[in-house]
Amino acid sequence: FLSEYFGSRGDTDPTVVREIWEKVDRRAGAPDYYSLKGLQRVVLDRGVDLRTVFARFGAANRIANKWYDEGKLYPQAPATRSFTFNNARRAIRPHVVEMNHLSNSHVMFKRGSTLRGEWRLRVKLDLPAAKRGSKATLVVHRKDGRVWWIPVKLNSAGNGQRSVPFSRSKVKHVALTLTNASIRSFCGRATAWSCQGKPMDDQLDYVFNAQVYRPAMS
C-alpha cells in the first residue's frame, strides 16, 4: 500500500519499504527503531501522519480492485454491517462497533428501490477522542465506476458528521470505514505487540448513525 500511496503518476515507490527496514535495522550505527516507530518515522519524513495513512489504507482495502495495481488478486475487505434505506426506513438508530488499535471496520449503506429522485445520506459519528486514533472515511461508489474519498472531519472529542450524495441516478452505494489508528502503547510490558508494549486504546466504542433526506430546493 505505501509504495503505491507515495508513488506518483501511476508509478510505485518501492524505496519506502527499504527505508522502513533501514529504520528498524539493529546493527551498530543503525537507528534501531522498533517496528511501529520505524514505520511512523518514515511516513512522517514524507510529510504525512501515520494515522491518516492507516485510515486511507483501511478504506483502500475495501476497494482493492480499484486501488492496487494487482487489485483483482487482492481480497476485498468485507463489510461487517450493511443497511438499506427506503421510504419506510429513512434512518437507523445508533450502532456500536468495538475496535482495537490499528484496526478498521466497514459499514455499507444501500438505497432501496422506493427511494426515487434526489436524496442525500448524512452520517453522524460519536467516536473516542481524536488523540486515541479515531478516524473515519466515507467512500461514495458512483454508478459510472468512479469513487469519491471523503475523510470525515472530527473534533477533538471524536464527534463529526458528513453528508454525501445518495441519488439513484448517480450513486450505487456508500461505504463508511471506521478506523482505530492508535499507535499509543506502554512499552516494555513483555507482550507480543510492537515495543513489547501494552496498547493504550483497545476495546473502544465507535458509535454511528445515519439518515437519508431530500436536499432543499434552491
Side-chain angles (χ1 to χ4, degrees), residues 57-173:
F57 167 69
N61 287 343
R62 177 64 190 154
I63 53 170
N65 61 332
K66 295 181 180 295
W67 171 263
Y68 297 102
D69 287 341
E70 299 178 346
K72 292 182 179 180
L73 303 177
Y74 197 97
Q76 178 174 274
T80 55
R81 304 188 185 191
S82 181
F83 302 91
T84 299
F85 294 96
N86 51 46
N87 277 334
R89 188 192 198 189
R90 299 187 182 184
I92 60 171
R93 61 175 176 79
H95 287 259
V96 181
V97 179
E98 184 180 279
M99 300 186 64
N100 291 332
H101 75 293
L102 295 180
S103 67
N104 293 281
S105 183
H106 308 281
V107 181
M108 183 81 71
F109 299 112
K110 301 178 181 179
R111 185 194 52 256
S113 60
T114 58
L115 282 184
R116 299 179 179 180
E118 294 297 315
W119 291 87
R120 291 184 68 83
L121 171 73
R122 179 185 292 117
V123 176
K124 295 183 178 181
L125 303 172
D126 181 6
L127 309 186
K131 69 179 182 180
R132 306 193 75 179
S134 295
K135 294 285 185 180
T137 308
L138 284 169
V139 180
V140 179
H141 294 248
R142 292 170 50 97
K143 282 194 169 182
D144 60 11
R146 292 184 295 168
V147 294
W148 291 340
W149 301 73
I150 306 173
V152 181
K153 186 177 181 179
L154 304 174
N155 61 23
S156 60
N159 302 321
Q161 64 177 325
R162 187 66 188 258
S163 297
V164 296
F166 205 57
S167 64
R168 185 174 184 177
S169 61
K170 297 179 180 180
V171 177
K172 185 177 180 181
H173 62 264

